[in-house]
Structures are given as C-alpha cells and as structure tokens.
Amino acid sequence: MPAGPDASDAGCRFLHVDMDAFFASVEVRRRPELRGKPVIVGGDGNRGVVTSATYEARACGVHSAMPMGRAKRLCPQAIVVPGDMRLYAETSAGIMALFRSITPLVEPLSLDEAFLDVAGARRRLGSPREIAVWIRARIEDEQGITCSVGVASTKFVAKLASTHSKPDGLLVVPVEGVIRFLHALPVSALWGVGAKTEEHLTQLGLRSVGQVAHTPLPTLQRALGPALGAHLYALSWGRDERVVVPHEPEKSIGSEETFGSDVDDPAVIYRELLRLSERTAARLRSAGALTRTVSIKVRFHDFTTLTRARTLRIPTDVGQEIFEVASQLYDALGLERARIRLVGVRAEGLLPAAEAPVQLLLGAREHGWRDADTAADRAARRFGAGAVRPATLLDPVSDPTRPGRERRRDGHRDGHRDGHRAKAPPEGMRPAGDSET
DNA sequence: TCTGGGGTCCTGTAACCT
DNA sequence: TCTGAGGTTACAGGACCC
C-alpha cells in the first residue's frame, strides 16, 4: 500500500509531530486580526533574520533564516513581529504535556516538534494513525494552531512524512512503502545533508535518495568521510535504529550575541564577554551542571569565525570564573582593534553539580563569587532575570551596540593596559581572592 | 543577499602517554 | 637513552539542524 493518510500503520510505532509555522501561528492566535495575512517573526534590526513566517508570507518566497531585509523586499506587505520566546515556550509546554498524556516516550527536538513512540499506547488509545488524528484535533482545539504528523516505522521516515504532509496534514508511510517513498526524494531530504553535502553529492551525479542507495558504500565514504557516508547509505535504505529518548542531558550551554554594528573597542567586547559569561553561568546553575571546558567564539566583520577553548582544573558554574577564562582566551588571540561582529561564550563538557569532586587542593576556589551568584539567582527568581548584575553591566552607556561611548574611571579610553588589555576584570568585579581556573 | 541563536556531531591535527 | 607505534584527549573548524 502506498504512503498516505489511509495507508496501513501496522508496525509504525513512531510519530513525528511538527507545528506549522509555530511562532507565527502563535502570534496569529494572539492577534486574530493577523489571520490570513503574511506575518513574519524575527529581528527587525539591520541584522535580523526570519525565525518563522506564515504560509501567506512563504508564498512570497520568505523562509526562516532569511535576512529580514531580503524578506521585506520579497514581501513588503508583511507584518513583522519581534517574537516572544516566553509565550512560545508556554505554548510548547502545553503541547508536550498533551504528548506525555499519551506516552512517556516523548522526545522533544525543539519547542515545536517531538517524536513519540506510541507502541505502548495502542490498547488504550488505538492505532498510531488514530492517535495522530486525535493529537491533531486536540492541538487545534486547545492551542488554536495546526500541526502536521508523520507516522512510520522509524524516526527518520516519520520526520520526513510530517514534512511531506505540511501544512496541517497527516501522512502514514507503511513499512512496505518506505523504500518507494524514500527513493523518490531529493538527497537534501536526508538528515545530515545541507547545502555543502548536497553540492558534493551533485558533483557525484547523485540527486535523489534512490541514487545514493544504489551507490557503493565505499564510494560514498571516500567522498563524504566514513561516518557521513555510512550514515547516508543506511538512511537511504530506511535503516534507522534510533529509539525515542525522553530526556538527553545537555552537552553544552552557551550564549552568543551579534552586535548591532561591528565593534572594535576592546572594552565593549570584554563587557559583552562578561554579560555572556554571567548568562551562561546562570543557566548552568539552573540546570544543576558544572562546566569543565569554556570556549569562546569570535566572528569578524567578514564572517570568518574563530573558536578557542580551555579545559579547567576545577569545574565551575560561577560567572566570574567563566569570564576570567573567556577573557584570557580572547586576550590570547592578540587582536588589534579587529572589526568584530559577534562574540559568544559556551560551557562544554558538562557534569552534574551533585557529582562534582570536592575540591581539596591548596588554593581552591574562593567561595565569594559562588555565594554572590546564588544570591543573584534567588533575586532573579523573585524580581525577574537581570535583577542583580555586575556593576559594569549597569552602566546605561554600556550598550554593546553603541561601541566606544564610555570612559574607564582610570582614564583609559578602553580596556587596554600595557598596550594590550587589562588582565583584571573591570572595576567592581574582582573578589577578595583571585579565582582559580 | 548578506547571513540569529541555540545546539550536536564529525574530522583533522597536535600533544601526550605508554 | 632514543625512537617509533598506537591509543587517548584536547582543540579548532566546519557542517548541520531547528
């Protein structure tokens, strides 16, 4: 039986549920006067991109990740809204709760999509297709938005099926119809094939999944590397052994920010590194995790990007300690007033705070900063995020999109010292004892 | 046309250890 | 003591996903 809404769902335990134009749909729900109109969600600044767009806007050629300037040229009549992550997260939580009322085997991929393994729910709720129909109706009733659902015997094919049925659709790919369904698709449908790999495959004359499937595995591996070659070959034959994993611990947590315009003032860069370090540390603490490796990312005006990382002797979740390492990594780049577009701070090699080794070394970390951070966390829970910040982040002229405005109290025009830059954190940030990395 | 922000995973290289 | 092989880990960069 061919794939379709009425196809056999025997052996199809996986559902992939994907909200249609999620952020934009939530905005339309909030402002019904937008219904039927082209709506674009995204940053409206000179460097914003589209994060979501209604199908009316997509009809003009607008799609997510497109620079906002281009989107507005393609669709001048579009209504641009800035986006409200808290509202989307709340809506998502309601949807995920609905999924968990069906099965505990729910694996969220992002705010707007999830895999469900419904093998154990059949007796209670019916066949996978019946469950999919029910989910679509409930989400529309309760949340006022539509979704698309793919039903298949593997996660990969379920995901392709939901994409294929968009918007507001349902597609069941029966076990015996998998190969026919897959082989007709373009290579870009394969999970792991983006622009570069697609180009690579095209050069080999491979445009469809069927052509990849009929290419010898060693040829693919020579062209794409052993891992990607084997991965794509397996997927092209519908082989995907992955199961639904309800909760995978995070492997890294980080923050990055693109400046409104390029920045060459080191003082602005360091203040931004401090802000991102504090934000990353707060998220580590709320996740109950410590980081072993701190990395920074620097993107220059021409979009070239560097990353640098250092592994710590003592894992931490303290903003000041992360900042200390981040600023040392930045120093080591030896940049002389380079034009910088973005900086980021990331915590990698996470481990549960509860399992962290007790630090008994001589010169162990001072507790001052950690106590200050946990007090700030308490204040943030009570008064809102950002209620307590380092003094250097309170300065109203320290907006990183307004580089070079402020003057240090020591009279230096920027954060340089000794012709390079101050090794010390900005004034008001240093604890009684130096922190130890 | 001019590229966000949150991530994961893979690959190549270098350093280090045995 | 020197050298090389092989394994492991850290780091940097890049591709990819939503």
mmCIF file of all heavy atoms in Angstrom, chain A residues 167-214:
data_model
loop_
_atom_site.group_PDB
_atom_site.id
_atom_site.type_symbol
_atom_site.label_atom_id
_atom_site.label_comp_id
_atom_site.label_asym_id
_atom_site.label_seq_id
_atom_site.Cartn_x
_atom_site.Cartn_y
_atom_site.Cartn_z
ATOM 1 N N PRO A 167 1.305 21.886 5.012
ATOM 2 C CA PRO A 167 0.860 22.159 6.383
ATOM 3 C C PRO A 167 -0.440 21.429 6.720
ATOM 4 O O PRO A 167 -1.162 21.031 5.813
ATOM 5 C CB PRO A 167 0.613 23.669 6.338
ATOM 6 C CG PRO A 167 0.190 23.940 4.928
ATOM 7 C CD PRO A 167 0.883 22.921 4.063
ATOM 8 N N ASP A 168 -0.669 21.290 8.001
ATOM 9 C CA ASP A 168 -1.943 20.778 8.526
ATOM 10 C C ASP A 168 -2.289 19.420 7.934
ATOM 11 O O ASP A 168 -3.403 19.219 7.455
ATOM 12 C CB ASP A 168 -3.059 21.805 8.238
ATOM 13 C CG ASP A 168 -4.306 21.550 9.086
ATOM 14 O OD1 ASP A 168 -4.208 20.769 10.065
ATOM 15 O OD2 ASP A 168 -5.356 22.118 8.765
ATOM 16 N N GLY A 169 -1.308 18.504 7.938
ATOM 17 C CA GLY A 169 -1.554 17.215 7.298
ATOM 18 C C GLY A 169 -1.186 16.024 8.159
ATOM 19 O O GLY A 169 -0.683 16.161 9.281
ATOM 20 N N LEU A 170 -1.450 14.846 7.604
ATOM 21 C CA LEU A 170 -1.108 13.576 8.256
ATOM 22 C C LEU A 170 -0.665 12.625 7.160
ATOM 23 O O LEU A 170 -1.340 12.505 6.135
ATOM 24 C CB LEU A 170 -2.340 13.016 8.978
ATOM 25 C CG LEU A 170 -2.277 11.530 9.387
ATOM 26 C CD1 LEU A 170 -1.165 11.290 10.393
ATOM 27 C CD2 LEU A 170 -3.614 11.084 9.966
ATOM 28 N N LEU A 171 0.486 11.994 7.375
ATOM 29 C CA LEU A 171 0.957 11.021 6.386
ATOM 30 C C LEU A 171 1.474 9.788 7.105
ATOM 31 O O LEU A 171 2.316 9.887 7.996
ATOM 32 C CB LEU A 171 2.071 11.633 5.527
ATOM 33 C CG LEU A 171 2.667 10.709 4.453
ATOM 34 C CD1 LEU A 171 1.614 10.318 3.412
ATOM 35 C CD2 LEU A 171 3.848 11.386 3.758
ATOM 36 N N VAL A 172 0.915 8.625 6.703
ATOM 37 C CA VAL A 172 1.394 7.345 7.220
ATOM 38 C C VAL A 172 2.224 6.695 6.122
ATOM 39 O O VAL A 172 1.764 6.579 4.984
ATOM 40 C CB VAL A 172 0.203 6.421 7.583
ATOM 41 C CG1 VAL A 172 0.715 5.081 8.100
ATOM 42 C CG2 VAL A 172 -0.698 7.094 8.618
ATOM 43 N N VAL A 173 3.457 6.313 6.456
ATOM 44 C CA VAL A 173 4.287 5.583 5.484
ATOM 45 C C VAL A 173 4.360 4.137 5.953
ATOM 46 O O VAL A 173 5.033 3.830 6.940
ATOM 47 C CB VAL A 173 5.707 6.187 5.377
ATOM 48 C CG1 VAL A 173 6.532 5.414 4.357
ATOM 49 C CG2 VAL A 173 5.645 7.659 4.991
ATOM 50 N N PRO A 174 3.647 3.226 5.286
ATOM 51 C CA PRO A 174 3.631 1.836 5.735
ATOM 52 C C PRO A 174 4.998 1.190 5.550
ATOM 53 O O PRO A 174 5.780 1.636 4.699
ATOM 54 C CB PRO A 174 2.589 1.183 4.820
ATOM 55 C CG PRO A 174 2.544 2.037 3.612
ATOM 56 C CD PRO A 174 2.870 3.431 4.059
ATOM 57 N N VAL A 175 5.265 0.173 6.339
ATOM 58 C CA VAL A 175 6.584 -0.477 6.311
ATOM 59 C C VAL A 175 6.964 -0.861 4.883
ATOM 60 O O VAL A 175 8.084 -0.595 4.435
ATOM 61 C CB VAL A 175 6.566 -1.733 7.220
ATOM 62 C CG1 VAL A 175 7.885 -2.471 7.113
ATOM 63 C CG2 VAL A 175 6.292 -1.331 8.661
ATOM 64 N N GLU A 176 6.015 -1.426 4.155
ATOM 65 C CA GLU A 176 6.345 -1.917 2.808
ATOM 66 C C GLU A 176 6.448 -0.769 1.788
ATOM 67 O O GLU A 176 6.876 -0.990 0.652
ATOM 68 C CB GLU A 176 5.330 -2.965 2.342
ATOM 69 C CG GLU A 176 3.897 -2.473 2.199
ATOM 70 C CD GLU A 176 3.109 -2.455 3.509
ATOM 71 O OE1 GLU A 176 3.719 -2.566 4.600
ATOM 72 O OE2 GLU A 176 1.873 -2.311 3.453
ATOM 73 N N GLY A 177 6.076 0.445 2.207
ATOM 74 C CA GLY A 177 6.143 1.563 1.266
ATOM 75 C C GLY A 177 7.345 2.471 1.483
ATOM 76 O O GLY A 177 7.514 3.471 0.776
ATOM 77 N N VAL A 178 8.199 2.111 2.478
ATOM 78 C CA VAL A 178 9.296 3.005 2.866
ATOM 79 C C VAL A 178 10.260 3.265 1.711
ATOM 80 O O VAL A 178 10.583 4.424 1.402
ATOM 81 C CB VAL A 178 10.055 2.430 4.093
ATOM 82 C CG1 VAL A 178 11.394 3.135 4.279
ATOM 83 C CG2 VAL A 178 9.208 2.572 5.341
ATOM 84 N N ILE A 179 10.703 2.208 1.055
ATOM 85 C CA ILE A 179 11.733 2.370 0.019
ATOM 86 C C ILE A 179 11.205 3.226 -1.135
ATOM 87 O O ILE A 179 11.880 4.141 -1.614
ATOM 88 C CB ILE A 179 12.215 0.984 -0.491
ATOM 89 C CG1 ILE A 179 12.833 0.189 0.662
ATOM 90 C CG2 ILE A 179 13.210 1.152 -1.633
ATOM 91 C CD1 ILE A 179 14.036 0.831 1.313
ATOM 92 N N ARG A 180 9.963 2.930 -1.547
ATOM 93 C CA ARG A 180 9.402 3.698 -2.667
ATOM 94 C C ARG A 180 9.291 5.184 -2.286
ATOM 95 O O ARG A 180 9.590 6.069 -3.076
ATOM 96 C CB ARG A 180 8.028 3.125 -3.029
ATOM 97 C CG ARG A 180 7.377 3.846 -4.187
ATOM 98 C CD ARG A 180 6.634 2.878 -5.098
ATOM 99 N NE ARG A 180 5.676 2.069 -4.362
ATOM 100 C CZ ARG A 180 4.346 2.143 -4.541
ATOM 101 N NH1 ARG A 180 3.843 2.999 -5.402
ATOM 102 N NH2 ARG A 180 3.548 1.360 -3.871
ATOM 103 N N PHE A 181 8.840 5.415 -1.037
ATOM 104 C CA PHE A 181 8.697 6.798 -0.551
ATOM 105 C C PHE A 181 10.056 7.495 -0.536
ATOM 106 O O PHE A 181 10.219 8.600 -1.057
ATOM 107 C CB PHE A 181 8.074 6.758 0.853
ATOM 108 C CG PHE A 181 8.032 8.089 1.561
ATOM 109 C CD1 PHE A 181 7.181 9.105 1.142
ATOM 110 C CD2 PHE A 181 8.831 8.327 2.671
ATOM 111 C CE1 PHE A 181 7.134 10.327 1.804
ATOM 112 C CE2 PHE A 181 8.792 9.539 3.341
ATOM 113 C CZ PHE A 181 7.941 10.546 2.907
ATOM 114 N N LEU A 182 11.048 6.809 0.041
ATOM 115 C CA LEU A 182 12.367 7.425 0.213
ATOM 116 C C LEU A 182 13.062 7.696 -1.107
ATOM 117 O O LEU A 182 13.599 8.793 -1.319
ATOM 118 C CB LEU A 182 13.267 6.480 1.014
ATOM 119 C CG LEU A 182 13.198 6.497 2.521
ATOM 120 C CD1 LEU A 182 14.167 5.460 3.077
ATOM 121 C CD2 LEU A 182 13.547 7.880 3.050
ATOM 122 N N HIS A 183 13.073 6.703 -1.979
ATOM 123 C CA HIS A 183 13.931 6.797 -3.162
ATOM 124 C C HIS A 183 13.504 7.880 -4.136
ATOM 125 O O HIS A 183 14.289 8.312 -4.971
ATOM 126 C CB HIS A 183 14.032 5.422 -3.838
ATOM 127 C CG HIS A 183 14.923 4.496 -3.077
ATOM 128 N ND1 HIS A 183 15.413 3.321 -3.584
ATOM 129 C CD2 HIS A 183 15.424 4.591 -1.817
ATOM 130 C CE1 HIS A 183 16.172 2.728 -2.675
ATOM 131 N NE2 HIS A 183 16.182 3.475 -1.589
ATOM 132 N N ALA A 184 12.274 8.344 -3.999
ATOM 133 C CA ALA A 184 11.804 9.406 -4.893
ATOM 134 C C ALA A 184 12.232 10.788 -4.402
ATOM 135 O O ALA A 184 12.117 11.771 -5.133
ATOM 136 C CB ALA A 184 10.281 9.344 -4.986
ATOM 137 N N LEU A 185 12.735 10.879 -3.145
ATOM 138 C CA LEU A 185 13.026 12.193 -2.564
ATOM 139 C C LEU A 185 14.387 12.717 -3.021
ATOM 140 O O LEU A 185 15.282 11.931 -3.355
ATOM 141 C CB LEU A 185 13.007 12.092 -1.031
ATOM 142 C CG LEU A 185 11.664 11.708 -0.411
ATOM 143 C CD1 LEU A 185 11.836 11.439 1.086
ATOM 144 C CD2 LEU A 185 10.630 12.810 -0.625
ATOM 145 N N PRO A 186 14.576 14.036 -3.014
ATOM 146 C CA PRO A 186 15.897 14.594 -3.316
ATOM 147 C C PRO A 186 16.877 14.315 -2.178
ATOM 148 O O PRO A 186 16.446 14.130 -1.028
ATOM 149 C CB PRO A 186 15.624 16.099 -3.431
ATOM 150 C CG PRO A 186 14.411 16.323 -2.603
ATOM 151 C CD PRO A 186 13.584 15.072 -2.706
ATOM 152 N N VAL A 187 18.171 14.297 -2.480
ATOM 153 C CA VAL A 187 19.174 13.990 -1.449
ATOM 154 C C VAL A 187 19.079 14.941 -0.256
ATOM 155 O O VAL A 187 19.387 14.573 0.873
ATOM 156 C CB VAL A 187 20.621 14.034 -1.997
ATOM 157 C CG1 VAL A 187 20.893 12.848 -2.878
ATOM 158 C CG2 VAL A 187 20.890 15.343 -2.714
ATOM 159 N N SER A 188 18.624 16.167 -0.518
ATOM 160 C CA SER A 188 18.564 17.139 0.579
ATOM 161 C C SER A 188 17.559 16.725 1.649
ATOM 162 O O SER A 188 17.567 17.273 2.756
ATOM 163 C CB SER A 188 18.192 18.515 0.035
ATOM 164 O OG SER A 188 16.955 18.438 -0.656
ATOM 165 N N ALA A 189 16.704 15.736 1.343
ATOM 166 C CA ALA A 189 15.750 15.267 2.348
ATOM 167 C C ALA A 189 16.449 14.443 3.431
ATOM 168 O O ALA A 189 15.917 14.266 4.521
ATOM 169 C CB ALA A 189 14.656 14.423 1.684
ATOM 170 N N LEU A 190 17.644 13.922 3.112
ATOM 171 C CA LEU A 190 18.340 13.075 4.086
ATOM 172 C C LEU A 190 18.840 13.915 5.251
ATOM 173 O O LEU A 190 19.407 14.991 5.051
ATOM 174 C CB LEU A 190 19.522 12.359 3.428
ATOM 175 C CG LEU A 190 19.165 11.301 2.374
ATOM 176 C CD1 LEU A 190 20.423 10.840 1.643
ATOM 177 C CD2 LEU A 190 18.467 10.116 3.024
ATOM 178 N N TRP A 191 18.628 13.423 6.444
ATOM 179 C CA TRP A 191 19.088 14.071 7.673
ATOM 180 C C TRP A 191 20.606 14.105 7.654
ATOM 181 O O TRP A 191 21.250 13.061 7.600
ATOM 182 C CB TRP A 191 18.563 13.266 8.857
ATOM 183 C CG TRP A 191 18.955 13.778 10.186
ATOM 184 C CD1 TRP A 191 20.117 13.527 10.849
ATOM 185 C CD2 TRP A 191 18.177 14.615 11.034
ATOM 186 N NE1 TRP A 191 20.113 14.173 12.057
ATOM 187 C CE2 TRP A 191 18.936 14.833 12.196
ATOM 188 C CE3 TRP A 191 16.920 15.202 10.928
ATOM 189 C CZ2 TRP A 191 18.473 15.614 13.251
ATOM 190 C CZ3 TRP A 191 16.462 15.968 11.977
ATOM 191 C CH2 TRP A 191 17.232 16.172 13.118
ATOM 192 N N GLY A 192 21.178 15.292 7.637
ATOM 193 C CA GLY A 192 22.630 15.425 7.591
ATOM 194 C C GLY A 192 23.125 15.965 6.261
ATOM 195 O O GLY A 192 24.317 16.218 6.109
ATOM 196 N N VAL A 193 22.211 16.131 5.302
ATOM 197 C CA VAL A 193 22.605 16.722 4.022
ATOM 198 C C VAL A 193 22.157 18.176 3.994
ATOM 199 O O VAL A 193 20.964 18.465 3.929
ATOM 200 C CB VAL A 193 21.993 15.960 2.827
ATOM 201 C CG1 VAL A 193 22.359 16.659 1.517
ATOM 202 C CG2 VAL A 193 22.483 14.522 2.816
ATOM 203 N N GLY A 194 23.107 19.080 4.087
ATOM 204 C CA GLY A 194 22.824 20.504 3.962
ATOM 205 C C GLY A 194 23.348 20.989 2.627
ATOM 206 O O GLY A 194 23.589 20.186 1.712
ATOM 207 N N ALA A 195 23.589 22.282 2.536
ATOM 208 C CA ALA A 195 23.992 22.873 1.254
ATOM 209 C C ALA A 195 25.302 22.276 0.744
ATOM 210 O O ALA A 195 25.420 21.921 -0.432
ATOM 211 C CB ALA A 195 24.120 24.382 1.420
ATOM 212 N N LYS A 196 26.298 22.142 1.637
ATOM 213 C CA LYS A 196 27.625 21.684 1.205
ATOM 214 C C LYS A 196 27.593 20.237 0.725
ATOM 215 O O LYS A 196 28.148 19.899 -0.324
ATOM 216 C CB LYS A 196 28.629 21.796 2.366
ATOM 217 C CG LYS A 196 28.815 23.188 2.873
ATOM 218 C CD LYS A 196 29.734 23.977 1.981
ATOM 219 C CE LYS A 196 29.843 25.406 2.467
ATOM 220 N NZ LYS A 196 30.677 26.226 1.596
ATOM 221 N N THR A 197 26.950 19.385 1.536
ATOM 222 C CA THR A 197 26.933 17.971 1.182
ATOM 223 C C THR A 197 26.076 17.741 -0.061
ATOM 224 O O THR A 197 26.403 16.890 -0.894
ATOM 225 C CB THR A 197 26.406 17.146 2.378
ATOM 226 O OG1 THR A 197 27.160 17.504 3.531
ATOM 227 C CG2 THR A 197 26.561 15.658 2.130
ATOM 228 N N GLU A 198 25.030 18.527 -0.198
ATOM 229 C CA GLU A 198 24.202 18.399 -1.400
ATOM 230 C C GLU A 198 25.029 18.723 -2.648
ATOM 231 O O GLU A 198 24.964 18.017 -3.661
ATOM 232 C CB GLU A 198 22.982 19.331 -1.318
ATOM 233 C CG GLU A 198 22.054 19.172 -2.514
ATOM 234 C CD GLU A 198 20.848 20.097 -2.457
ATOM 235 O OE1 GLU A 198 20.771 20.957 -1.556
ATOM 236 O OE2 GLU A 198 19.973 19.947 -3.327
ATOM 237 N N GLU A 199 25.835 19.772 -2.526
ATOM 238 C CA GLU A 199 26.681 20.154 -3.650
ATOM 239 C C GLU A 199 27.675 19.033 -3.981
ATOM 240 O O GLU A 199 27.883 18.674 -5.148
ATOM 241 C CB GLU A 199 27.432 21.437 -3.270
ATOM 242 C CG GLU A 199 28.042 22.174 -4.428
ATOM 243 C CD GLU A 199 28.888 23.350 -3.937
ATOM 244 O OE1 GLU A 199 28.499 23.986 -2.930
ATOM 245 O OE2 GLU A 199 29.941 23.603 -4.545
ATOM 246 N N HIS A 200 28.232 18.477 -2.914
ATOM 247 C CA HIS A 200 29.183 17.375 -3.066
ATOM 248 C C HIS A 200 28.523 16.189 -3.786
ATOM 249 O O HIS A 200 29.097 15.604 -4.713
ATOM 250 C CB HIS A 200 29.627 16.951 -1.659
ATOM 251 C CG HIS A 200 31.029 16.473 -1.606
ATOM 252 N ND1 HIS A 200 31.913 16.860 -0.642
ATOM 253 C CD2 HIS A 200 31.707 15.632 -2.412
ATOM 254 C CE1 HIS A 200 33.077 16.276 -0.853
ATOM 255 N NE2 HIS A 200 32.974 15.525 -1.919
ATOM 256 N N LEU A 201 27.323 15.853 -3.347
ATOM 257 C CA LEU A 201 26.613 14.717 -3.948
ATOM 258 C C LEU A 201 26.238 15.014 -5.402
ATOM 259 O O LEU A 201 26.312 14.134 -6.267
ATOM 260 C CB LEU A 201 25.366 14.385 -3.120
ATOM 261 C CG LEU A 201 25.642 13.763 -1.743
ATOM 262 C CD1 LEU A 201 24.380 13.744 -0.883
ATOM 263 C CD2 LEU A 201 26.185 12.344 -1.892
ATOM 264 N N THR A 202 25.867 16.256 -5.659
ATOM 265 C CA THR A 202 25.507 16.633 -7.028
ATOM 266 C C THR A 202 26.703 16.455 -7.956
ATOM 267 O O THR A 202 26.564 15.996 -9.091
ATOM 268 C CB THR A 202 25.025 18.103 -7.055
ATOM 269 O OG1 THR A 202 23.935 18.225 -6.155
ATOM 270 C CG2 THR A 202 24.562 18.504 -8.447
ATOM 271 N N GLN A 203 27.894 16.805 -7.423
ATOM 272 C CA GLN A 203 29.107 16.640 -8.244
ATOM 273 C C GLN A 203 29.349 15.167 -8.583
ATOM 274 O O GLN A 203 29.957 14.851 -9.603
ATOM 275 C CB GLN A 203 30.322 17.212 -7.507
ATOM 276 C CG GLN A 203 30.382 18.738 -7.585
ATOM 277 C CD GLN A 203 31.392 19.334 -6.619
ATOM 278 O OE1 GLN A 203 32.084 18.616 -5.900
ATOM 279 N NE2 GLN A 203 31.461 20.650 -6.584
ATOM 280 N N LEU A 204 28.864 14.290 -7.691
ATOM 281 C CA LEU A 204 28.990 12.848 -7.970
ATOM 282 C C LEU A 204 27.842 12.356 -8.850
ATOM 283 O O LEU A 204 27.737 11.167 -9.136
ATOM 284 C CB LEU A 204 28.974 12.063 -6.647
ATOM 285 C CG LEU A 204 30.149 12.279 -5.698
ATOM 286 C CD1 LEU A 204 29.881 11.596 -4.363
ATOM 287 C CD2 LEU A 204 31.433 11.740 -6.313
ATOM 288 N N GLY A 205 26.960 13.273 -9.210
ATOM 289 C CA GLY A 205 25.824 12.891 -10.056
ATOM 290 C C GLY A 205 24.670 12.309 -9.256
ATOM 291 O O GLY A 205 23.786 11.663 -9.819
ATOM 292 N N LEU A 206 24.684 12.536 -7.937
ATOM 293 C CA LEU A 206 23.636 11.946 -7.088
ATOM 294 C C LEU A 206 22.650 13.028 -6.678
ATOM 295 O O LEU A 206 22.995 13.935 -5.924
ATOM 296 C CB LEU A 206 24.270 11.313 -5.841
ATOM 297 C CG LEU A 206 25.368 10.277 -6.128
ATOM 298 C CD1 LEU A 206 25.979 9.774 -4.831
ATOM 299 C CD2 LEU A 206 24.808 9.115 -6.934
ATOM 300 N N ARG A 207 21.421 12.900 -7.182
ATOM 301 C CA ARG A 207 20.409 13.921 -6.881
ATOM 302 C C ARG A 207 19.259 13.371 -6.062
ATOM 303 O O ARG A 207 18.574 14.120 -5.371
ATOM 304 C CB ARG A 207 19.876 14.529 -8.181
ATOM 305 C CG ARG A 207 20.915 15.367 -8.913
ATOM 306 C CD ARG A 207 20.279 16.261 -9.960
ATOM 307 N NE ARG A 207 21.126 17.398 -10.261
ATOM 308 C CZ ARG A 207 22.235 17.336 -10.996
ATOM 309 N NH1 ARG A 207 22.621 16.185 -11.498
ATOM 310 N NH2 ARG A 207 22.957 18.420 -11.215
ATOM 311 N N SER A 208 19.017 12.071 -6.157
ATOM 312 C CA SER A 208 17.882 11.508 -5.415
ATOM 313 C C SER A 208 18.390 10.521 -4.362
ATOM 314 O O SER A 208 19.525 10.013 -4.446
ATOM 315 C CB SER A 208 16.933 10.779 -6.367
ATOM 316 O OG SER A 208 17.544 9.578 -6.808
ATOM 317 N N VAL A 209 17.548 10.269 -3.384
ATOM 318 C CA VAL A 209 17.893 9.302 -2.341
ATOM 319 C C VAL A 209 18.092 7.926 -2.973
ATOM 320 O O VAL A 209 18.980 7.163 -2.577
ATOM 321 C CB VAL A 209 16.786 9.273 -1.261
ATOM 322 C CG1 VAL A 209 17.054 8.172 -0.246
ATOM 323 C CG2 VAL A 209 16.695 10.634 -0.566
ATOM 324 N N GLY A 210 17.307 7.620 -3.984
ATOM 325 C CA GLY A 210 17.445 6.334 -4.670
ATOM 326 C C GLY A 210 18.831 6.175 -5.285
ATOM 327 O O GLY A 210 19.446 5.103 -5.222
ATOM 328 N N GLN A 211 19.358 7.269 -5.849
ATOM 329 C CA GLN A 211 20.695 7.198 -6.449
ATOM 330 C C GLN A 211 21.768 6.993 -5.376
ATOM 331 O O GLN A 211 22.729 6.271 -5.597
ATOM 332 C CB GLN A 211 20.969 8.487 -7.244
ATOM 333 C CG GLN A 211 20.161 8.540 -8.537
ATOM 334 C CD GLN A 211 20.306 9.885 -9.249
ATOM 335 O OE1 GLN A 211 20.289 10.934 -8.609
ATOM 336 N NE2 GLN A 211 20.437 9.849 -10.558
ATOM 337 N N VAL A 212 21.571 7.625 -4.222
ATOM 338 C CA VAL A 212 22.516 7.405 -3.115
ATOM 339 C C VAL A 212 22.469 5.940 -2.694
ATOM 340 O O VAL A 212 23.506 5.293 -2.485
ATOM 341 C CB VAL A 212 22.170 8.324 -1.911
ATOM 342 C CG1 VAL A 212 23.003 7.942 -0.689
ATOM 343 C CG2 VAL A 212 22.388 9.788 -2.273
ATOM 344 N N ALA A 213 21.261 5.387 -2.609
ATOM 345 C CA ALA A 213 21.090 3.999 -2.163
ATOM 346 C C ALA A 213 21.799 3.027 -3.102
ATOM 347 O O ALA A 213 22.284 1.981 -2.668
ATOM 348 C CB ALA A 213 19.598 3.668 -2.076
ATOM 349 N N HIS A 214 21.877 3.376 -4.387
ATOM 350 C CA HIS A 214 22.482 2.463 -5.350
ATOM 351 C C HIS A 214 23.935 2.809 -5.656
ATOM 352 O O HIS A 214 24.487 2.349 -6.653
ATOM 353 C CB HIS A 214 21.630 2.409 -6.626
ATOM 354 C CG HIS A 214 20.330 1.694 -6.393
ATOM 355 N ND1 HIS A 214 19.138 2.372 -6.173
ATOM 356 C CD2 HIS A 214 20.058 0.381 -6.265
ATOM 357 C CE1 HIS A 214 18.185 1.474 -5.957
ATOM 358 N NE2 HIS A 214 18.713 0.255 -6.005
#
